[in-house]
Amino acid sequence: MNDPVAVFRALHHDRTPGDPLVLPGPWDAASARVFEEAGFPALATPSAGVAASLGHADGRTPAAEMFAAVARIAGAVSVPVSADVEAGYGLAPAELVERLLEAGVVGCNLEDSAGGVLLDPREQADRLAGVLGAADGRLFVNARVDTYVRALPDGTDVVAETVGRARLYAAAGAECVYPIGAPADHLPRLAAGVTVPLNAHGAPDDPSGARRLGELGAARITFGPLLQRHATDAVRDLAARLLTG
């Protein structure tokens, strides 16, 4: 199987419980090479980690800078790379797909909130369908569901709302759904409610955490910017030791 998109797609399926696909998040070319050399079969860039590496706050990276950074990461390794492109930077579906393909990635995350507010799920489903139609099988789209990190009306059943959105996005063609921030004890209900692989947020300092999340229903584990922040903490500690001798 030489098609990197097909390779990436296949990695999400036929996972046994306790053996999810673990995708570390490189924030630059050097970190991408480290993860590839460690043996990971694919990578998934975190927008916040890339933003930090470029000197921007999360959500404030200009689109051109993000795509350029993602292209450097994808070009530095031979394994498939998926990119977190936030809510798509306001680009029309065809242009977004073109920019992603030019960057050399096999897929993307697209979130269903903007400006800290959840988007209408049916409108988001229509947008996802437009992106997937333009991609014509050339990209693997992971639909992020922001119900755990954005305000919901009082009394809303967050699991039911999340599953409802996830089903709409899967029906639009999304091949994975990512309820970011969902607690571990919600994963069984979420996984049971959708027909596509479920992406959960892992903790890099918990060696058995990925296996446990897989046993709870996650087929894919990502870490957001946590790996970049761990690296920054390590550099901070080194700097303090150098300063004090």
Side-chain angles (χ1 to χ4, degrees):
M1 188 183 295
N2 296 320
D3 177 1
V5 181
V7 169
F8 187 70
R9 184 172 285 122
L11 288 170
H12 291 75
H13 295 284
D14 300 320
R15 312 295 311 188
T16 58
D19 181 33
L21 173 62
V22 177
L23 297 176
W27 53 95
D28 60 14
S31 59
R33 291 192 182 108
V34 168
F35 294 133
E36 180 183 34
E37 290 166 3
F40 288 97
L43 308 173
T45 69
S47 61
V50 173
S53 77
L54 297 173
H56 297 295
D58 185 20
R60 296 299 182 91
T61 307
E65 290 190 43
M66 181 63 74
F67 285 112
V70 166
R72 285 191 294 272
I73 290 169
V77 295
S78 60
V79 297
V81 175
S82 181
D84 180 351
V85 289
E86 303 176 271
Y89 307 110
L91 298 174
E95 184 178 358
L96 177 60
V97 168
E98 181 181 0
R99 300 286 291 276
L100 288 163
L101 294 174
E102 287 176 348
V105 299
V106 298
C108 68
N109 282 12
L110 284 172
E111 58 197 53
D112 68 348
S113 66
V117 178
L118 283 164
L119 302 172
D120 178 272
R122 295 192 180 279
E123 292 180 3
Q124 177 68 358
D126 288 343
R127 175 164 171 75
L128 289 168
V131 170
L132 286 152
D136 192 25
R138 295 173 293 171
L139 291 172
F140 181 102
V141 174
N142 183 30
R144 202 179 92 173
V145 186
D146 286 0
T147 43
Y148 286 91
V149 295
R150 305 298 182 215
L152 290 170
D154 290 343
T156 301
D157 181 335
V158 65
V159 173
E161 177 67 20
T162 303
V163 167
R165 286 173 175 262
R167 286 177 173 171
L168 283 172
Y169 304 159
E175 297 182 72
C176 188
V177 292
Y178 179 21
I180 187 171
D185 60 353
H186 286 199
L187 294 181
R189 287 178 61 195
L190 294 170
V194 298
T195 58
V196 296
L198 184 74
N199 187 159
H201 195 271
D205 52 358
D206 181 0
S208 63
R211 182 177 67 252
R212 183 171 61 90
L213 294 174
E215 291 169 347
L216 292 171
R220 163 173 159 163
I221 310 296
T222 53
F223 303 94
L226 295 183
L227 298 172
Q228 182 269 333
R229 290 174 184 170
H230 272 248
T232 298
D233 288 342
V235 173
R236 184 177 292 112
D237 291 342
L238 175 61
R241 291 198 301 272
L242 290 171
L243 188 63
T244 59

